[in-house]
Structure formats: structure tokens, C-alpha cells
Amino acid sequence: MRVISYNLRKHRAARELAELADRWEANLLCLQECDTLNMPEHIAGLKLARMTSRNRLGLALYYRENTFQLQDVVSLALKKSLHDHILRPAHERVLGARLRDIDAGRDVIVASFHAAPLTALNSLRRHQIRTALTQLQELGSGLPTLMVGDYNYPVFKEKLGERVRRHGYDLTLSDARTYTRYRFFRGHYDFATSIGLDIDRVTTLPQGASDHLPILVTADYRRRDGGGAIEEPATAAS
């Protein structure tokens, strides 16, 4: 599974998507801050699963049809920050899809996530992450799940990782920082939370027109034990 996550910075980097998908052989695209009125049905052979609909700048998810079959898709509203209430309410901050992996013969949940902006408290973003992961399981309890996107969480990620692991998930950062616009706020903003998957690597890709750098998540299904249960890793991801 090769998943690209990209915050397009108010749709400015949208024209880069076809080249990114081709160059890095992605079979899933999880997008944030895309213009939901101007997204095509296909990008480099990937089909649109759904876009969010209650904001012009929202989320979108694309999948490769010869790799996955779309089973279900859901968009979720999360607890709002003060910024959301006063300025531009972000009604939907998670877009998740249940997909059938054709070759593997099993289902997986993949989601695009965009946390509250930096004006919000980390506690609110933790609440959003926890709620998103919990509600995504309604697409299929116990299924392998990968949620990628802009977490807006530049500091205290170690504590976030501890909290995520308490709920059975792994938190995986990319190999280089993903946000460079403001020197004080530079760092890792875009990463992955997962369960039932082995994350081989999260690679920060070259910067384009966005202030966020895209990331490429390479993952595989965690092998099952003899009883069919997902085998837990010996150590958690960093």
C-alpha cells in the first residue's frame, strides 16, 4: 500500500497531483485543503472516492481501481476550535473509506484527516484524533486502519504518541519535517496513525507549491496469528 497525503494549501498545489501519483506509484491519495468544487473524477488513474461537501476547502480521497474496490465512505465532523466557530467553520475534518484490497482479499480503512489549526490547544487536537479513530471503526470494527493528514501538532509529539498507543494505535512520523513556511513553526505536521498495519516508511517528498510537503506512506498488513487475530508488534512505532 502506497499512500500520498498532501495539504494543498488552499488548492495551490493541485496541479502537482498527477505527477506525484505517477512518480511515486501511489495507489491512494489523501488530500487536505482542496477546492471541492474543482476536483476531477480521476487523477493519474486514481478514482475519486468522495470529497467533503460542507466546506469549499475540504478533503478528498482517491484510490486505484485495479488495486481497491470501494465498499463504503464517510465524512465526519469533529469538535470545533474557536477559530472554526469565528472564522471559517470546518464542518468535516475526517474523510474515511472502507476499501477491498483485491490482491490481498481483505478490507482496510483509509482516511484523510485535517486537525484544528495552531490557534487551538493540543488537547482539542488530541480529542479530534481520538474521536476520528474511534468513529472510523464504525466502517468495520477491527479492520486495519490508516489515518494520514495534517495533524497540526508540531510539539510534544512524544506525549501524543503515548496517548495514541494507549488506544492500540501506532503513531509514525516522516523522515524529515513537512512544514517550512514559518521558521518558528517548522517541523513535522503531517504523519500517520495506524492499527493492524506495518508502516515500512513515511517519506517526506520534495516541496511544491504548498507550505506543506507531501508524504508517502508505505505500509503492509500485519500478519495474523494462527487464530486469525492481528499480531501485535513487539515495539511501537516512533
Side-chain angles (χ1 to χ4, degrees):
M1 186 186 307
R2 295 174 64 83
V3 186
I4 286 179
S5 175
Y6 198 6
N7 181 321
L8 303 182
R9 192 186 177 189
K10 300 180 180 178
H11 203 68
R12 295 181 187 181
R15 65 183 62 186
E16 303 166 12
L17 293 173
E19 182 180 353
L20 274 173
D22 279 339
R23 178 179 178 185
W24 300 101
E25 300 179 339
N27 45 43
L28 289 157
L29 285 178
C30 293
L31 308 176
Q32 305 90 44
E33 289 196 22
C34 58
D35 185 344
T36 57
L37 299 178
N38 290 289
M39 295 302 293
E41 284 294 317
H42 292 86
I43 295 176
L46 282 74
K47 180 178 174 60
L48 177 67
R50 184 186 285 183
M51 297 176 292
T52 52
S53 59
R54 299 179 66 189
N55 297 81
R56 185 182 68 82
L57 287 174
L59 309 172
L61 194 152
Y62 288 78
Y63 66 99
R64 196 169 297 282
E65 290 182 277
N66 63 3
T67 305
F68 297 103
Q69 295 173 338
L70 182 64
Q71 304 293 307
D72 199 2
V73 62
V74 64
S75 55
L76 304 173
L78 302 176
K79 186 176 181 180
K80 292 182 174 62
S81 67
L82 181 63
H83 177 277
D84 291 332
H85 284 293
I86 294 177
L87 297 177
R88 298 179 179 178
H91 298 287
E92 301 154 302
R93 289 196 171 273
V94 186
L95 180 65
R98 176 171 176 165
L99 299 156
R100 183 71 173 176
D101 187 318
I102 297 171
D103 290 338
R106 59 190 302 180
D107 286 5
V108 60
I109 297 169
V110 178
S112 180
F113 171 69
H114 193 184
L118 293 176
T119 51
L121 297 174
N122 274 350
S123 59
L124 174 62
R125 281 184 285 275
R126 288 195 300 270
H127 184 280
Q128 290 179 330
I129 293 166
R130 182 174 64 251
T131 302
L133 292 172
T134 300
Q135 292 190 11
L136 283 172
Q137 287 301 302
E138 295 179 7
L139 285 170
S141 179
L143 289 178
T145 300
L146 174 66
M147 186 171 80
V148 296
D150 178 5
Y151 282 67
N152 274 324
Y153 214 104
V155 295
F156 306 120
K157 289 182 288 295
E158 295 80 7
K159 291 185 178 180
L160 174 63
E162 292 174 3
R163 290 174 179 267
V164 166
R165 285 191 289 273
R166 289 177 198 166
H167 293 275
Y169 290 81
D170 293 331
L171 172 70
T172 312
L173 304 182
S174 59
D175 57 2
R177 65 190 184 189
T178 65
Y179 185 78
T180 61
R181 186 178 183 188
Y182 299 112
R183 184 173 63 180
F184 182 75
F185 292 113
R186 289 175 183 173
H188 290 79
Y189 282 60
D190 307 81
F191 40 89
T193 45
S194 62
I195 191 170
L197 295 166
D198 288 322
I199 307 298
D200 299 323
R201 189 170 184 180
V202 181
T203 306
T204 301
L205 304 181
Q207 186 162 17
S210 176
D211 49 358
H212 286 257
L213 281 68
I215 60 172
L216 172 66
V217 181
T218 306
D220 203 353
Y221 302 103
R222 186 161 295 157
R223 65 183 181 88
R224 298 173 180 269
D225 62 22
I230 295 173
E231 184 180 19
E232 293 300 325
T235 57
S238 60

